[in-house]
Amino acid sequence: NKYVAHCGICSRRDAVPLIKEGKMRVNDVVILEPGFKVNPNDVVTFAGKKILPEKNLVYILLNKPKDYITTLDDPEGRKTVLDLLRGVTAERIFPVGRLDRNTTGVLLLTNDGDLAQTLTHPSHEIKKVYHAQLDRPLERAHFDALLKGVELEDGLATVDVLAYADIKDKTQIGVEIHSGKNRIVRRLFEHFRYDVKGLDRVVFAGLTKKNVDRGKWRFLTEK
């Protein structure tokens, strides 16, 4: 019954009647005893399907600072985001997607491969919002061109929403985008000869860095 509970089927208590009703098989043999010991190589099935224990899934939201890279380890010895999370969890976590070294903001780290696949696959069009600071005011012609789409070396790149973050300071730009192209926001502005002085991801897949200071993190709750 403990094994069944760890597979996420139901609670340990609720597993007992299921087992006594003959719903569980171990190596294709019906087992009626809730205290039956399951060995690592045993095949356990419920309703004809093999069941496996859930891993201890961990989800951490980091407000990434500058000068940290999002690879798991770096042969050049540069600081990685995992350096900020030493000792936080015994699980082997990894960043979902990438933020380049000088980009700050929301970064999700987890050991949930299914979720990572969902959040990074282009077909799911996961929304990201960035705050960019440019070296000079964004011209209206370039503003309009960015909304229409820009042909880069790896194809057409579009933004979903573009806005001046501060109407009095047109170097501050808000960008909403779902493209997963590498360094896409920087490359869009660089296409028009702007230097991106600062780039901060403020939203990723509905997650924000509210109440999480730069360089700090929090565990995500089920909610």
Side-chain angles (χ1 to χ4, degrees):
N1 64 325
K2 184 177 179 182
Y3 185 95
V4 172
H6 278 238
C7 293
I9 303 298
C10 57
S11 70
R12 204 182 294 191
R13 180 182 293 172
D14 290 342
V16 172
L18 288 178
I19 295 164
K20 289 183 173 178
E21 288 164 16
K23 301 284 180 67
M24 305 292 170
R25 290 174 176 258
V26 179
N27 302 327
D28 216 26
V29 175
V30 174
I31 301 296
L32 302 173
E33 174 51 52
F36 179 87
K37 292 280 188 284
V38 177
N39 293 310
N41 294 327
D42 288 344
V43 176
V44 182
T45 54
F46 169 60
K49 291 185 177 178
K50 183 179 178 180
I51 59 175
L52 292 165
E54 298 262 9
K55 289 190 300 180
N56 179 27
L57 297 176
V58 174
Y59 308 90
I60 295 173
L61 185 150
L62 173 71
N63 186 350
K64 178 189 169 299
K66 268 189 174 183
D67 294 327
Y68 284 82
I69 59 173
T70 51
T71 47
L72 293 178
D73 49 12
D74 181 47
E76 296 177 38
R78 293 172 296 180
K79 294 179 290 188
T80 77
V81 290
L82 293 184
D83 293 332
L84 297 166
L85 296 167
R86 290 205 184 284
V88 167
T89 175
E91 306 300 326
R92 184 176 169 81
I93 56 173
F94 54 87
V96 178
R98 293 199 170 179
L99 290 180
D100 67 37
R101 184 177 178 179
N102 290 318
T103 301
T104 57
V106 178
L107 182 67
L108 178 64
L109 298 103
T110 185
N111 58 347
D112 186 340
D114 290 337
L115 180 74
Q117 174 71 13
T118 299
L119 294 182
T120 53
H121 197 278
S123 65
H124 292 103
E125 299 194 345
I126 297 301
K127 186 176 85 174
K128 292 156 273 201
V129 180
Y130 291 85
H131 179 189
Q133 182 180 354
L134 307 180
D135 61 332
R136 57 191 171 90
L138 180 62
E139 295 174 26
R140 190 74 218 187
H142 296 153
F143 187 105
D144 294 340
L146 285 164
L147 282 174
K148 286 178 184 171
V150 176
E151 195 69 41
L152 300 176
E153 61 269 22
D154 54 352
L156 184 70
T158 58
V159 301
D160 301 324
V161 180
L162 197 64
Y164 293 113
D166 180 350
I167 202 64
K168 295 176 182 174
D169 179 4
K170 294 186 176 180
T171 66
Q172 308 285 333
I173 312 296
V175 184
E176 184 180 310
I177 203 164
H178 66 262
S179 169
K181 291 178 188 288
N182 192 32
R183 297 184 73 251
I184 185 62
V185 178
R186 288 184 187 275
R187 288 164 55 211
L188 281 168
F189 288 117
E190 287 165 359
H191 179 80
F192 294 106
R193 304 285 189 269
Y194 293 91
D195 184 13
V196 180
K197 294 293 189 187
L199 189 60
D200 187 51
R201 185 159 71 183
V202 293
V203 178
F204 172 66
L207 299 170
T208 75
K209 54 196 174 69
K210 185 181 177 186
N211 300 328
V212 182
D213 293 335
R214 187 83 74 223
K216 304 296 184 184
W217 57 271
R218 69 176 177 86
F219 284 110
L220 293 180
T221 62
E222 194 73 28
K223 185 180 177 185

